[in-house]
């Protein structure tokens, strides 16, 4: 398929990332169509935002880039049943996460360009940063370059959503997938959640007020993360007290020690050898019973009840923009 400076783009899915990508691309001058299941919960939202909405099978036919922004677990069926039979010869298939290609759940047609553009932030932030003239950093990769122009298409898309404003970094599907999963599991979501819960439990078990423990172990975490975000560990040291610095430098290794690092290496090994992917794919296929039980246990943790009471008095929180869900399962039936 012949490329153009602003190729026609179809966004399949309209959750957090899908909506942000579609709006940013349109504002950047691209012709954007949204592919959604007729009557689905996001169809009205996309139409209200002014987009042409078509069933995915129709939406992908004339597109030069098809961005698949539905949840990971529904993408293989969506590709096999809807996208592959209808996507144009020589078009570009784009993902925001390499999971299904890397773990061979999707084997794209040989004539297609296959690329990845992954913003390093949630959709609400991708949109907000674009609107104020900045952009969320992004990585991009080329898995299949049938046209000889796949890299340029990925960069054009990346620029269209604002990612190229922050020096987009070239990666591979393997590197993006494995580092993304590791970050989520060991640090950002799994590691941080368990660290907060364990810290809170330790203080409460020692007889301290649950409310005070909440402030110390969860609420104030945002202050430190914001400093990390703005200027790394260096900025944190600039803004915390010498007492806090000394305690951190001499006691941090009590918590994150050689055993912690060994467990992190185990997490990474299970990502690299496909163990995690196989477990998650099997869990989803079986109906997600274990996943749902584990998630409910997190939601039922006592720190959540304490937090709800305390946050009810933090009036500024209700005035803050609330991020959209990362993915809306209803989009899966596109």
């Amino acid at each position: 398929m012949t490329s153009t400076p602003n190729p026609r783009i179809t966004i399949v899915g309209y959750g957090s990332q899908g909506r942000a990508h579609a709006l940013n691309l349109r504002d950047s001058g691209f012709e954007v169509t949204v592919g959604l299941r007729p009557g689905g919960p996001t169809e009205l939202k996309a139409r209200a935002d002014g987009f042409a909405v078509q069933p995915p099978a129709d939406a992908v036919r004339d597109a030069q880039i098809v961005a698949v922004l539905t949840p990971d677990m529904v993408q293989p069926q969506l590709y096999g049943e809807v996208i592959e039979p209808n996507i144009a010869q020589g078009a570009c298939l784009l993902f925001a996460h390499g999971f299904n290609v890397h773990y061979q759940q999707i084997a794209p047609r040989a004539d297609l360009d296959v690329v990845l553009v992954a913003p390093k932030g949630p959709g609400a932030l991708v949109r907000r940063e674009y609107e104020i003239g900045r952009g969320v950093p992004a990585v991009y990769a080329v898995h299949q370059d049938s046209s000889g122009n796949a890299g340029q298409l990925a960069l054009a898309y990346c620029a269209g959503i604002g990612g190229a404003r922050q020096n987009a970094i070239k990666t591979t599907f393997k590197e993006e997938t494995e580092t993304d999963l590791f970050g989520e599991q060991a640090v950002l979501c799994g590691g941080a959640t368990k660290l907060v819960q364990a810290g809170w439990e330790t203080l409460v078990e020692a007889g301290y007020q649950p409310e005070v423990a909440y402030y110390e172990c969860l609420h104030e975490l945002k202050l430190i993360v914001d400093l990390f975000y703005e200027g790394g560990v260096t900025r944190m040291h600039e803004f915390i007290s010498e007492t806090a610095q000394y305690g951190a430098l001499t006691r941090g290794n009590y918590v994150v020690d050689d055993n912690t690092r060994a467990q992190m290496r185990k997490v990474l090994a299970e990502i690299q050898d496909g163990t995690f992917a196989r477990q998650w794919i099997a869990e989803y296929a079986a109906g997600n019973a274990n996943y749902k039980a584990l998630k409910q246990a997190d939601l039922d943790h006592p720190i959540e009840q304490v937090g709800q009471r305390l946050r009810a008095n933090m009036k500024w929180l209700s005035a803050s923009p609330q991020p959209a869900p990362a993915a809306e399962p209803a989009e899966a039936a596109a």
Side-chain angles (χ1 to χ4, degrees), residues 17-135:
Q17 289 289 344
R19 182 172 188 266
H21 288 213
L23 290 169
N24 290 4
L25 288 162
R26 183 176 65 186
D27 289 351
S28 294
F30 290 84
E31 179 185 341
V32 179
T33 299
V34 178
L36 293 172
R37 179 189 60 172
T42 52
E43 182 189 13
L44 289 178
K45 184 187 297 184
R47 291 192 185 280
D49 286 336
F51 287 105
V53 180
Q54 298 178 346
D58 297 328
V60 306
R61 286 194 179 101
D62 294 324
Q64 293 167 288
I65 297 177
V66 174
V68 185
L69 301 180
T70 56
D72 287 335
M73 290 299 101
V74 303
Q75 288 181 11
Q77 182 178 0
L78 176 66
Y79 175 76
E81 295 181 359
V82 178
I83 295 176
E84 185 175 63
N86 293 290
I87 190 171
Q89 188 83 12
C92 178
L93 186 64
L94 183 146
F95 297 90
H97 182 36
F99 186 97
N100 283 303
V101 172
H102 177 57
Y103 290 118
Q104 300 176 344
Q105 299 304 295
I106 292 176
R109 265 184 5 215
D111 64 279
L112 301 174
D113 287 340
V114 182
V115 303
L116 175 150
V117 175
K120 295 291 99 178
L125 184 64
V126 171
R127 179 58 178 163
R128 188 163 66 247
E129 288 292 293
Y130 179 94
E131 289 182 302
I132 61 179
R134 301 190 305 223

Side-chain angles (χ1 to χ4, degrees), residues 182-202 213-214 217-219 221 225 255 264 294-304:
F182 177 82
E184 292 168 350
Q185 294 172 25
V187 181
L188 304 176
C189 305
T193 298
K194 294 306 178 186
L195 182 66
V196 165
Q197 291 173 343
W200 184 86
E201 290 167 0
T202 300
Y214 176 89
C217 295
L218 189 153
H219 179 80
L221 183 62
V225 170
V255 179
M264 285 185 168
L294 291 170
K295 181 177 179 180
Q296 193 59 49
D298 244 11
L299 300 178
D300 291 340
H301 192 282
I303 197 174
E304 289 302 289

